[in-house]
Amino acid sequence: MAQYSSIVITGMGFVTPLGHKLGTVTEAMRRGESGIRPVTLDDILPILMGRVSTEEFPRHGGDMAVDYALSATQDAWASSGLSDPDPWRVATIVGSSKGRLANLLGSGANLHCRQFDPNTFPGNTLGLALATRLRVSGPILNYPAACATGIVCMIRAAQSLQHDESDVALAGSGEASGKALVMASFHNMGALGTAPMRPFDRRRAGFNPGEGAAVFVMERETDAVARGARILARIVGWDQRSDAYHITSADPEATTVVHSIKKTLAMAGWEPSDVEYINAHGTGTLLNDLVEGKAIRDTFGVSTPLVSSIKPYVGHLLGASSAVELALSIAALRDSFIPPTLGLEEPDPDIPLNFVSRNGNFQTVHRFLKLSLGFGGHIGVVAVEIPT
């Protein structure tokens, strides 16, 4: 198998409750704005949720995750500068945790999606939509891994490039699970917060859901340099696994998360001290934040890197969370801004981490980790370099 120095991101697009244009979203983050608002799902379930503007994306009754992912892909493709890649060598590895659930739950004539049969429930729907629109014929894969779906899809895309299965990979995830039946399940578990979410705060009481998508154009660095592409970020290490503990609860010992972080650091060739920032999963739920905090402390010791969760900006996007949060992190860090954890005012003394300051840190970061901890024990970690 051929070896390459690294896998790089040359294009990036996203759709979020804060908007889908790069400048608009990064400026909103600097101002500390949140896209989370009170909504009533299906006229029966009032919750706080980050929803995408209906002015930009009118709802048609089907699964909006397809629309979000298509928009994100178009922006990513345009920003990559790719013009005429070999269609047989373009992979589409874009996933969703909930698939086309909205189509199964909806009713009426508006269910019809022009390109698809709404009565089917294929796991590769998003990848198929992108491949059909772009007329590419590489591998179409989906790796539903709960909240880690986006990271896992990106890891598999990187492996596709390393194994010479493709020359270009579209990778990421999308989710539009704003249905009462879906959110009622989280409500019944006690996972939803009735107030704005506060990850790592001692008063935290659950997450606020969200929706959106993020898609990345990924290439081998050698190929990107050869065509003169702008490199947005390098993916230099990764790991994925399960803690095999419980269908929803994370292992309170955090042993597997620590192992996954260390494997990622080893692949990247980094020491723990090389990490300048960690974009945490940070759901604002009691156990998840404790476990993640323990994993970070057990790996990095007392002097942890700067840590924040950006879910309070957009909500917990479930299957799209890790991809969207990675995209927003890259966008902010390239602008020398480390986003804070909105609502974190009284850090839990049982989670003694080095948190980003309340208004964000204005400094340069070259190396950071993205962590994702999903239901079912799904764990995804990536090590990212921001080019100087």
Side-chain angles (χ1 to χ4, degrees), residues 61-66 96-107 111 118 120-122 125 175-183 185-186 318:
D63 191 339
M64 295 297 295
V66 175
S96 176
S97 173
K98 302 296 179 288
R100 302 183 71 202
L101 189 57
N103 283 349
L104 296 184
L105 297 177
S107 61
L111 267 180
T120 62
F121 193 55
T125 293
E175 199 82 279
S177 50
K179 301 293 290 186
L181 180 60
V182 178
M183 289 305 143
S185 64
F186 291 106
L318 304 180

Side-chain angles (χ1 to χ4, degrees), residues 15-17 19 51-59 64 68 211:
V15 173
T16 79
R51 303 218 77 175
V52 174
S53 169
T54 56
E55 294 180 1
E56 296 178 344
F57 295 91
R59 301 185 184 279
M64 295 297 295
Y68 301 155
E211 61 183 2

